[in-house]
Amino acid sequence: MSTATEQATPPNGADHKPRGMGRWLFSTNHKDIGTMYLIFAVVFGLVGALFSVLVRMEMAAPGIQVMNWLFFLGEPNQVFNVLITGHGLIMVFFMVMPALIGGFGNWFVPLMIGAPDMAFPRMNNISFWLLIPSALLLVGSIFVDGGPGVGWTVYAPLSTVGAPGAAVDMAILSLHLAGASSILGAINFITTIFNMRAPGMTLHKMPLYVWSVLVTAFLILLAMPVLAGAITMLLTDRNFGTAFFDAAGGGDPVLYQHLFWFFGHPEVYILILPGFGIISQVVSTFSRKPIFGYLGMAYAMVAIGFVGFIVWAHHMYASGLDVDTRAYFVAGTLVIAVPTGIKIFSWIATMWGGSIRFATPMIFAMGMIFLFTLGGVTGVVIANAGIDIAVHDTYYIVGHFHYTMSMGALFGIFTGFYYWIPKMTGRPYSELLGKIHFWLLFVGVNLTFFPMHFLGLAGMPRRIPDYPDAFAGWNMVSTLGSYISVLGTAVFLVLIYKMFRSKERVGANPWGEGATTLEWTVPSPAPFHTHQTPPRS
Amino acid sequence: MMADTHSDQNHPYHMVAPSPWPVLGAGAALVLAGGAIVFMHDGGPWIMLAGVAALLYVMFRWWADVIREAEDGHSHNPIVRIGLRYGMALFIVSEVMFFFGFFWAFFGASLFPAGGVWPPQGVEVLEPFDWPLLNTFILLASGATLTWAHHGLIEDDRRDLVQGLAATITLGITFTAIQAYEYSHAAFGFTEGIYPTTFYMATGFHGFHVIIGTIFLTVCLVRAVKGHFKPDHHVGFEAAAWYWHFVDVVWLFLFFSIYWWGS
């Protein structure tokens, strides 16, 4: 039936796959837009990875080496600053968010709730296309006025009086566009989930991935405009003579930190919650059991989202907050461990007694649970203001948040990729290459980031391209780890290539009885339009 | 096998046709952002203004499409209208959070003033119970006239609808004119420290929103004259009304905190 309908000429063009570039440029189809997001995320994931490997090459040994090769970009220390800034911003805004929310969210939220598309298909398209000018501005800024070497946090006064060139203005406007893109996306997801569920799909029956996107969308809706305000203030302080963050004019640089982290802390949950959702689907599918404690899992995400808005100043323990304020933020931050623990233990309880199949998505999910827990545990350590004073701005922090992001969010992305790519392409991937990819990446990231805890506890500061000889050993290990991750990524690219060359095809549900959500009821690859007749429970 | 795919569609949702406006809008945003960078680094404003013009054109065409769909008799059925209302309400929530940031800046500066007092020494503030109070009454009155228009609409009384909208728009323009007069007569300049910073940026963004709301209401007035709205089908009017009330509430916060308490 699908082939027959695809060839007919539609009365209004909405019902059929448009031909040529218009299909992508003018798209109003959630799957096509999701595909564009995923391609965008892969491309910028590679760019962000390139930046991080350049940083690790520089850090392999004391002294300045690699940054000297990049002389054409500017002075070595500034080039280093630009690389870490670019790495952070690209990975957050152009890799993790487009993959987890724009990519998988677009593809699978409508499929999982039985909706024919997103609520606002045109707005969905501008959400994606705004990322292109945003990315052009950020990448372009690297080549202007020495690049934006202010860190992904863009702290004032470094970002105001400390960096007067156009590069920082470009980075700020890049963030404005990326923020507008994600706010529009968030409105779209919330409306879709609230208004377009199939009959019988009550909120308390929704797959946990949909719950995770719903909570994430609310976090974006409430947090991103505050960032927009903060960076607008940066822009006017830089160019139009306002004094928001200028102490000489009665302003306060710490205000920027408050506004930034009021956005920034929810932002890290924006990055991880969709991964949590994917892990829940995959652990349930491959354990062939319903998720343990479904309602607890859903409301744990709601709780994480809520508490995420009232803990922001734990990023600012070294900014001169008074002791009572710090005591509150310690207590609030520790509370997050409770709903997070609910999730970890419920995943384990789901696997417990299950008939587990160790396919690639499952081993990535188990890897994610293990590694994210490590990052969570170090998070409990540094939530304590007293300890944080010692490790603030050291490699301990870099190690901590890469365990949550590089292993939590990234492993979540790969989990979703392997779980859903047969549905998206209709083709199987190579289990062998998938498992090689997992093990290389698993060894690589652990080798990269575990030693950072030792370095941080020993006092090695982050964001500095040179260091004393005493830190050389573990830095070399860390750099070797990043090379192994590069190798793993190469295997991933080979896997994608081989998958698209493959003549094999998969059925509607390649995962068997454990896969109970609605996306497995439609053919693989999913047709251009799905759920034209709402599924019934 | 069904040749007509419309009969395939057994759901109430609006499957939107492919549209050039989103990608062109993103292109206009790039011109606007690039032009803003040129402008902020001592270039002329022309690229930026071209970006603004392109963006306005895209918005005009895009929303013209939406209005056409609203009037086609089937696209915006009751279920779709619920979605449109969700969308507008959520957009207003995001706007609230944008202002939240500027109020944070204001209260941070005024509750913990760097010089020990607020307003800072030497700043001669505007008298709140002069023009600002009048503006408060004007906006409150505009909320009332808008409700009058809404009642006219619900009771299918087009004359009341048009008159109410026209009154609201007139009050909105009056408000903006008074704000402009106030700005030009304020004793403190834009770049003279944290008081004018928070004052002008918070009230300035509010004023910008008043202008947007006035345009939105003007579009509604044109549509009302053309006979677009029905008593049970007027999402565009509702969205404009919600937006106007939101702008009104922001002003009340501005008036009570920045103009009155902050003086």
Side-chain angles (χ1 to χ4, degrees):
Chain A
M1 188 172 101
S2 61
T3 34
T5 49
E6 271 164 28
Q7 281 155 5
T9 311
N12 61 1
D15 298 294
H16 289 278
K17 208 185 280 187
R19 302 197 184 281
M21 282 306 288
R23 172 176 172 189
W24 306 99
L25 290 171
F26 308 150
S27 181
T28 46
N29 180 284
H30 71 107
K31 300 185 194 82
D32 281 355
I33 293 169
T35 301
M36 292 194 286
Y37 264 116
L38 287 173
I39 294 169
F40 182 91
V42 169
V43 169
F44 278 91
L46 293 175
V47 175
L50 171 70
F51 284 24
S52 64
V53 171
L54 286 170
V55 166
R56 274 325 314 166
M57 286 167 75
E58 174 58 53
M59 300 301 283
I64 301 290
Q65 39 275 322
V66 179
M67 295 304 120
N68 285 325
W69 311 346
L70 300 173
F71 61 89
F72 53 91
L73 286 176
E75 188 270 328
N77 295 295
Q78 170 69 4
V79 173
F80 185 85
N81 290 340
V82 170
L83 285 179
I84 57 164
T85 305
H87 169 71
L89 289 174
I90 286 172
M91 287 307 199
V92 168
F93 289 99
F94 302 144
M95 196 279 277
V96 176
M97 291 175 74
L100 282 175
I101 308 163
F104 295 138
N106 255 307
W107 255 94
F108 292 105
V109 164
L111 278 178
M112 287 175 125
I113 62 173
D117 207 300
M118 295 283 284
F120 307 116
R122 267 179 302 231
M123 196 168 86
N124 200 14
N125 202 29
I126 200 171
S127 293
F128 170 75
W129 283 104
L130 278 174
L131 286 181
I132 302 291
S134 173
L136 287 175
L137 283 169
L138 186 67
V139 173
S141 75
I142 292 167
F143 303 98
V144 175
D145 291 344
V150 290
W152 87 283
T153 54
V154 205
Y155 269 10
L158 177 61
S159 61
T160 53
V161 290
V168 175
D169 292 309
M170 292 172 77
I172 288 171
L173 288 173
S174 164
L175 284 177
H176 271 112
L177 294 180
S181 151
S182 38
I183 290 169
L184 296 176
I187 291 173
N188 221 334
F189 278 114
I190 296 171
T191 308
T192 305
I193 293 169
F194 279 163
N195 198 39
M196 296 178 73
R197 281 169 286 120
M201 175 73 70
T202 60
L203 284 175
H204 284 175
K205 284 184 183 164
M206 256 177 7
L208 283 172
Y209 177 65
V210 183
W211 264 104
S212 74
V213 172
L214 180 64
V215 176
T216 303
F218 269 107
L219 298 191
I220 291 174
L221 185 77
L222 298 173
M224 207 60 84
V226 180
L227 175 73
I231 59 178
T232 303
M233 295 176 203
L234 278 185
L235 215 52
T236 57
D237 269 20
R238 288 171 56 81
N239 298 297
F240 301 108
T242 58
F244 286 110
F245 312 127
D246 172 19
D252 179 10
V254 179
L255 168 69
Y256 179 79
Q257 299 186 21
H258 277 295
L259 292 171
F260 180 83
W261 287 112
F262 187 83
F263 146 79
H265 198 73
E267 173 66 22
V268 302
Y269 295 141
I270 290 165
L271 300 175
I272 198 62
L273 282 174
F276 281 179
I278 292 171
I279 301 300
S280 296
Q281 305 299 140
V282 166
V283 165
S284 162
T285 296
F286 292 94
S287 306
R288 289 178 241 205
K289 279 175 68 189
I291 198 82
F292 179 91
Y294 166 82
L295 270 188
M297 288 294 257
Y299 284 97
M301 288 191 283
V302 175
I304 290 170
F306 174 76
V307 181
F309 274 105
I310 50 176
V311 297
W312 73 89
H314 67 215
H315 298 269
M316 302 162 54
Y317 288 144
S319 299
L321 302 178
D322 68 60
V323 70
D324 292 341
T325 309
R326 280 180 285 166
Y328 160 74
F329 280 101
V330 171
T333 305
L334 292 174
V335 165
I336 298 172
V338 176
T340 313
I342 290 174
K343 299 208 67 72
I344 303 284
F345 287 113
S346 297
W347 286 324
I348 295 171
T350 306
M351 289 187 267
W352 192 279
S355 172
I356 300 178
R357 215 175 113 204
F358 292 96
T360 307
M362 185 60 174
I363 55 174
F364 263 104
M366 293 169 79
M368 186 275 187
I369 295 169
F370 174 61
L371 297 171
F372 182 81
T373 304
L374 277 175
V377 167
T378 53
V380 173
V381 175
I382 54 180
N384 294 279
I387 297 173
D388 181 73
I389 295 296
V391 295
H392 192 91
D393 264 339
T394 70
Y395 265 83
Y396 193 91
I397 305 297
V398 181
H400 155 71
F401 73 73
H402 279 93
Y403 264 85
T404 59
M405 293 292 108
S406 180
M407 285 96 133
L410 181 67
F411 274 48
I413 290 170
F414 282 127
T415 304
F417 177 85
Y418 286 111
Y419 185 54
W420 281 320
I421 198 72
K423 176 56 60 188
M424 294 189 278
T425 64
R427 296 150 197 268
Y429 59 86
S430 159
E431 277 290 342
L432 176 68
L433 288 178
K435 281 175 180 148
I436 294 173
H437 174 213
F438 170 78
W439 284 110
L440 285 173
L441 199 64
F442 186 84
V443 172
V445 290
N446 277 295
L447 222 47
T448 308
F449 297 112
F450 208 83
M452 289 185 180
H453 297 94
F454 310 146
L455 291 167
L457 288 174
M460 181 173 164
R462 63 190 283 210
R463 293 176 161 160
I464 308 286
D466 194 4
Y467 53 84
D469 292 353
F471 299 135
W474 286 122
N475 268 300
M476 177 53 88
V477 171
S478 177
T479 299
L480 289 176
S482 75
Y483 296 161
I484 295 176
S485 301
V486 169
L487 202 61
T489 306
V491 171
F492 174 65
L493 295 176
V494 171
L495 177 144
I496 294 181
Y497 176 76
K498 287 191 61 151
M499 182 183 66
F500 280 107
R501 298 279 298 184
S502 162
K503 302 250 184 300
E504 278 184 79
R505 294 294 182 268
V506 298
N509 180 4
W511 302 127
E513 56 171 330
T516 56
T517 39
L518 285 172
E519 78 269 34
W520 305 111
T521 64
V522 304
S524 304
F528 195 64
H529 288 301
T530 40
H531 298 319
Q532 290 288 74
T533 300
R536 301 227 160 232
S537 58
Chain B
M1 301 272 172
M2 282 176 274
D4 177 16
T5 49
H6 260 299
S7 55
D8 269 3
Q9 185 174 319
N10 296 314
H11 59 75
Y13 304 108
H14 180 198
M15 301 295 277
V16 179
S19 165
W21 309 123
V23 70
L24 292 176
L30 179 61
V31 177
L32 171 57
I37 287 156
V38 171
F39 175 63
M40 290 185 294
H41 290 271
D42 305 322
W46 304 112
I47 302 174
M48 182 173 72
L49 293 176
V52 172
L55 204 57
L56 289 174
Y57 176 75
V58 167
M59 288 155 110
F60 184 83
R61 295 293 304 268
W62 185 337
W63 284 325
D65 284 352
V66 177
I67 290 172
R68 211 166 296 126
E69 288 153 8
E71 295 301 311
D72 70 9
H74 60 87
S75 293
H76 289 189
N77 60 50
I79 304 280
V80 172
R81 296 210 290 272
I82 293 172
L84 291 167
R85 287 195 203 97
Y86 267 124
M88 189 66 201
L90 292 167
F91 173 68
I92 290 174
V93 169
S94 81
E95 291 268 56
V96 168
M97 292 311 290
F98 182 78
F99 277 99
F100 177 83
F102 285 91
F103 275 103
W104 192 330
F106 167 74
F107 281 110
S110 58
L111 287 170
F112 312 100
V117 289
W118 190 268
Q121 272 182 342
V123 175
E124 196 190 318
V125 302
L126 294 168
E127 165 59 42
F129 296 105
D130 198 321
W131 290 106
L133 183 67
L134 176 64
N135 255 350
T136 305
F137 288 137
I138 287 173
L139 273 193
L140 287 174
S142 76
T145 54
L146 190 57
T147 305
W148 166 31
H150 200 174
H151 275 283
L153 174 50
I154 290 168
E155 281 147 34
D156 215 4
D157 182 343
R158 197 152 303 273
R159 208 179 61 111
D160 274 16
L161 169 61
V162 170
Q163 285 182 351
L165 271 174
T168 312
I169 293 162
T170 310
L171 288 166
I173 292 170
T174 313
F175 174 91
T176 306
I178 292 175
Q179 279 298 82
Y181 174 83
E182 280 269 89
Y183 280 5
S184 63
H185 287 76
F188 44 86
F190 185 70
T191 61
E192 289 167 15
I194 190 66
Y195 185 88
T197 291
T198 53
F199 174 85
Y200 281 117
M201 289 299 284
T203 59
F205 269 115
H206 173 262
F208 178 59
H209 282 72
V210 170
I211 294 168
I212 294 171
T214 309
I215 296 169
F216 200 170
L217 289 170
T218 309
V219 172
C220 286
L221 177 62
V222 173
R223 294 187 64 192
V225 171
K226 286 186 161 190
H228 273 193
F229 301 117
K230 318 249 169 340
D232 59 342
H233 183 174
H234 50 264
V235 175
F237 179 93
E238 269 182 309
W242 291 352
Y243 194 81
W244 193 253
H245 289 311
F246 150 71
V247 165
D248 197 352
V249 171
V250 171
W251 172 261
L252 292 179
F253 277 97
L254 288 172
F255 178 74
F256 283 109
S257 54
I258 294 185
Y259 285 92
W260 187 3
W261 174 80
S263 69

